[in-house]
Structures are given as structure tokens and as C-alpha cells.
Amino acid sequence: MRSVGAVESSATPPGHLDESGTSATEPMTVWRELTGKPLRFLFSSWPFRVYAFLLSGSFIGLILAVIFAAMVTVGTLFSLVLVGLIILVLAALLGIPVAEIERYRLQLVDRRTLHGPHIKVAERGIRPWLRTRLRERATWRELVYLISLALILSLINLAAVAVATTSLMLAFMPALVALVAPDTIMLGSLGKLDSPFDAIPMSCVGVVSTMLSTYLLGVVSAGHVQFARLLLASREEELDRQVVELASSRSRLLNGFEAERRRIERDLHDGAQQRLVALSMALGLASVELAQRGGEPHRLILRAHEEAKQALSEMRDLIHGIHPQVLTDRGLNAAVIELGARCTIPVDVDISLPGRMQAAVETGAYFAVSELLTNMSKHSEATRSQVVGRVAGPNLVVEVTDDGVGGADPTLGTGLQGLVDRLAVVEGTLEWSSPAGGPTTIRMEIPCHLSRCE
């Protein structure tokens, strides 16, 4: 028994290691680079990136501290009137745009994708949007991050940047002394520097402290990233809600496609087919009128009559292929029985269902069975087939078995891969057993999580 599943390929195998000893496909992060090869970290672009990240974070945090404090103060003072409440609500929502900026800024030191946790608001208007956002936990987590950035993280970042900047200035002290010569640089209790040579010992200390402060910047950046991902990343709860939303959206799309297909079927049945019937009748009457005269006009009318009947037959087959009326009127069992009656090989149908199911489920199962019976007629050399359908738990289970030569394989163009794709639309799966010499058993399962299927 084999089960069809998705196959992913990649130019780099998952276990492949690059020259640094880490996975080549793993996104770059400051912690990975800092702990991978610490010496190479010093002479790469990472010190500049972590410095820019922490410096920009300190400025953003200080600006946010002023803005947020002003909004809370003004909102509290005027809380008895509408404008104060509006300002307080805006202060609570300020974390949302700040979080978007931070997710973008984190790319400086962490290339891992950080998805937003907010769900899409289905209704239009400011009220549904506000109602949804104020009820989301993600909104309040982002507000906590904003307050932390404004009051704590910005100060930590600024301190780390100050240490690194001071160390760098010490490392380049001889050059600074040379720039201000012949003036003397006073360093307080450390004394004075009259010439670049006096600053060489201090420069050596500065070089060492610069290397250490660079590692400090990397550690602080990694901690900032970890804290940001804890509060700004999408949690399982938000992911579950997004999955539910996507499932509902797909269900609505399926229902929309089904309605559109039935509309096309109805238009063909009531429009083009009726016109072809009228044309065929008119040509038949003309043929009767010209029967006694004979000649070339009569032969042309007879030929046109045959073409009209052929077009009408093809139109009926097309309408039936779009969506058989028996499936709509009487359900899956009757529709599969009709399929078996039209099949060139005898088909035993045993489908027992507790009731009607969602149209997308019935349609998916019907066309899958139809394609299986067609392929069986063409390739299996079978003398008999059987279709069995039951509801097992939350799934509709349909098995198609034949006594043919077997050897069904999706890589050989037998149509099984197309069936997998068709069933995937309705969350269905396909399994098969088809040893050489037969028999072949194809099993499909389609979730029917509806009240009418239970």
C-alpha cells in the first residue's frame, strides 16, 4: 500500500554543511555567526550590523518613550471626554505599527522570517478592525514590547553602544591626538596626552576592549532578538486561527466554484442545447419536405441534420461531464451506479451513506470514481470491478477494485497523480495497492465534517 504525499526538493540537502560547519540552508543569525567562528565574526560585516541595530533601537526606544508617555498623560487627563478615550485607544494600538517596524529591523541581525500574528479582518470599516485588534492577545504583547523597548531595551542598547564607541575611541586615540596637535588632550585622572606616542598604551587597551565590546554587542543583539521573537512572533493560537480562516476561505471558494459550474450547466442546458434541438428538428422537417425531390439539396440537408444530432449528443456529454444531474438530484450512490452502467466492464456498486453530503465532497468523489473507472477500462484488462463506499468516522471512504493486470503507478502516466491533486482540493487522500498481476485496489478518503455526514 502506498500513500501519495508531497515531495520537496532542494538544491542543498538538509544535512549538508557549509565551510563554517553549519547547515547551508539555515538562515543567518547573529547568534549563529557569533558562536560559529568568533574570530571571523570580528572581521566580518556583523559588528557594523549589530552596532547599527542597537544604535537605531536605542533612538527608536527613546522617541517611543516620549510619544507613549505624552499620549498616556494627555489621554488620562482628558479621559472624561471622548478625545481622551480615543488617545488612550491609540496608545494601546501604537504597538502594532512599532511591531511591524521591528520585524523589518530585526532582519539586520536575524534573517529568519518573522510573520505577523494578526488575522485578517473580514469586515470592512474601522469598528470591526478596532474590535478585532483590541481582542487579540498579539496586540497586547506588542504593546508590552513597545513599553519594554522604550523603558528598558533602549537603555541597554545605548549602554552597549556607548561602551563600544568609547573602546573604539581609545583604539584610535593616537590618531585623535595627532589631529588636535599641538594642543593637549586632558583625560581627567588618567593624565594628559601631549603626543600620539603617549596614547599608544591607551590604544592597545582600546583595541582589546573594542574586540570584547564587539562580542558584547553581539550578545546584547542576540538577547534583543530572542525577546522580540518571544513577543512579536505568531503564536500557535494565532496560527490555529489562521488555519481555520484558510479552511473557511477554501470552503467558500469551493462552494463558489460549484455554484458557477452549475450555472454554466444550466445555461448550456436551457440555452445552447435547446437551440440545437430546435435546429435538429427544423433540419429533420426540411429533410422530409425534400425527400421526394432528392438531389444535392436533400443530401446537404441530411448531412446537416446528422451534424446537428452529433453536436447535440456532444453537448449532452459536455453537460453531463460538467456536473451530472443525477448527482444533484439523487446523490452519490445513484450517480456511481449510472457510471457503472456506462462502463465497458461490469461494475458492482455498493455505496451505503447515511445521507447527502456537501456538494464539493460528492463531486470530488464522483469525478475521482469516474476517472478511475475510465482508466480501468483503458489499461487494466479487467473483467470485473467493484466500487464500495462508506462513512468511517469523519471521512467518506471509497474503494475501487478490479481484477486486472495491476501495475498502476503515477509515474507511468496512469492518472493517479491527477487524482491526488483533485482530491487535495477537498482535503482528500489517495492510497493504492497494485502489484504486478493484480488485483488493483484504489482507496480514497475525503473528510466530510458536516452535520449531514455524522
Side-chain angles (χ1 to χ4, degrees):
M1 183 76 70
R2 296 183 56 189
S3 177
V4 176
V7 179
E8 296 182 358
S9 61
S10 174
T12 304
H16 177 71
L17 301 180
D18 60 14
E19 295 179 356
S20 64
T22 55
S23 174
T25 58
E26 184 181 352
M28 291 190 302
T29 66
V30 61
W31 186 250
R32 170 191 167 188
E33 297 298 322
L34 182 62
T35 57
K37 284 191 175 181
L39 186 61
R40 189 177 66 175
F41 179 84
L42 292 174
F43 301 99
S44 66
S45 63
W46 281 97
F48 301 98
R49 296 167 69 169
V50 296
Y51 188 90
F53 175 74
L54 295 179
L55 183 62
S56 61
S58 61
F59 280 118
I60 291 174
L62 294 176
I63 294 172
L64 288 176
V66 175
I67 295 175
F68 187 74
M71 294 179 70
V72 171
T73 302
V74 175
T76 303
L77 292 175
F78 294 93
S79 59
L80 296 180
V81 294
L82 180 61
V83 65
L85 296 177
I86 293 176
I87 293 176
L88 289 177
V89 170
L90 292 177
L93 297 175
L94 184 60
I96 296 177
V98 171
E100 287 297 325
I101 296 173
E102 287 297 287
R103 291 187 191 97
Y104 177 78
R105 200 170 64 85
L106 285 172
Q107 295 293 314
L108 276 172
V109 292
D110 194 319
R111 294 297 179 85
R112 292 175 294 177
T113 303
L114 188 62
H115 297 287
H118 296 287
I119 64 173
K120 184 178 180 180
V121 182
E123 302 179 46
R124 295 184 179 181
I126 187 65
R127 287 187 178 181
W129 187 86
L130 284 174
R131 185 169 57 251
T132 302
R133 291 294 174 258
L134 291 175
R135 290 177 178 176
E136 287 182 308
R137 294 182 181 179
T139 301
W140 303 104
R141 289 202 305 269
E142 291 171 345
L143 181 60
V144 171
Y145 177 82
L146 181 152
I147 297 173
S148 302
L149 179 62
L151 301 181
I152 302 174
L153 296 179
S154 60
L155 298 180
I156 296 176
N157 294 352
L158 190 59
V161 169
V163 170
T165 303
T166 303
S167 300
L168 195 62
M169 292 179 62
L170 290 176
F172 286 94
M173 187 58 68
L176 294 177
V177 174
L179 288 176
V180 300
D183 295 334
T184 300
I185 294 180
M186 300 297 298
L187 296 179
S189 61
L190 295 179
K192 61 180 181 178
L193 300 177
D194 296 320
S195 68
F197 296 101
D198 296 335
I200 290 178
M202 192 171 295
S203 177
C204 294
V205 174
V207 170
V208 176
S209 63
T210 298
M211 297 174 61
L212 296 177
S213 62
T214 301
Y215 292 131
L216 174 65
L217 293 178
V219 172
V220 173
S221 297
H224 190 140
V225 167
Q226 194 64 25
F227 182 76
R229 294 187 71 89
L230 180 65
L231 292 179
L232 303 183
S234 181
R235 300 287 184 89
E236 290 184 0
E237 177 183 347
E238 280 75 22
L239 288 175
D240 291 341
R241 294 173 65 181
Q242 291 177 7
V243 168
V244 171
E245 181 185 1
L246 289 174
S248 300
S249 176
R250 179 165 66 174
S251 179
R252 291 193 298 269
L253 286 174
L254 286 174
N255 292 334
F257 292 151
E258 187 68 22
E260 182 66 15
R261 180 161 58 183
R262 292 189 180 185
R263 185 192 66 78
I264 295 173
E265 174 198 4
R266 184 177 61 253
D267 291 345
L268 290 174
H269 184 274
D270 298 338
Q273 182 176 242
Q274 298 303 320
R275 292 182 180 274
L276 282 175
V277 170
L279 174 62
S280 180
M281 292 178 62
L283 290 173
L285 293 175
S287 175
V288 172
E289 291 292 334
L290 294 175
Q292 297 179 350
R293 301 182 184 180
E296 186 65 20
H298 182 239
R299 286 194 298 271
L300 291 176
I301 291 294
L302 287 176
R303 181 179 176 184
H305 189 206
E306 291 298 324
E307 292 290 339
K309 290 193 294 184
Q310 182 65 28
L312 181 60
S313 176
E314 292 178 359
M315 177 68 72
R316 286 170 176 163
D317 291 340
L318 175 62
I319 294 173
H320 191 276
I322 293 176
H323 192 89
Q325 191 63 36
V326 66
L327 180 62
T328 302
D329 297 339
R330 300 175 56 192
L332 184 62
N333 186 28
V336 174
I337 289 176
E338 185 183 34
L339 279 177
R342 296 204 311 267
C343 186
T344 58
I345 299 172
V347 179
D348 299 325
V349 179
D350 180 16
I351 297 179
S352 178
L353 305 177
R356 296 296 300 273
M357 290 170 287
Q358 188 185 31
V361 176
E362 290 186 340
T363 302
Y366 172 83
F367 283 106
V369 172
S370 175
E371 188 165 347
L372 285 173
L373 292 179
T374 301
N375 291 340
M376 176 195 66
S377 301
K378 293 180 179 179
H379 308 293
S380 70
E381 301 180 16
T383 60
R384 198 159 197 87
S385 179
Q386 184 180 34
V387 180
V388 178
R390 297 288 187 273
V391 171
N395 297 330
L396 167 65
V397 180
V398 179
E399 287 190 356
V400 180
T401 306
D402 67 67
D403 58 357
V405 296
D409 190 334
T411 62
L412 302 179
T414 54
L416 289 180
Q417 188 59 51
L419 283 178
V420 173
D421 298 336
R422 179 187 290 274
L423 292 175
V425 176
V426 289
E427 304 180 23
T429 59
L430 187 75
E431 299 177 346
W432 72 91
S433 172
S434 184
T440 297
T441 300
I442 310 293
R443 176 188 175 93
M444 67 186 79
E445 294 190 14
I446 304 176
C448 56
H449 37 74
L450 300 171
S451 59
R452 288 182 292 177
C453 290
E454 296 174 353

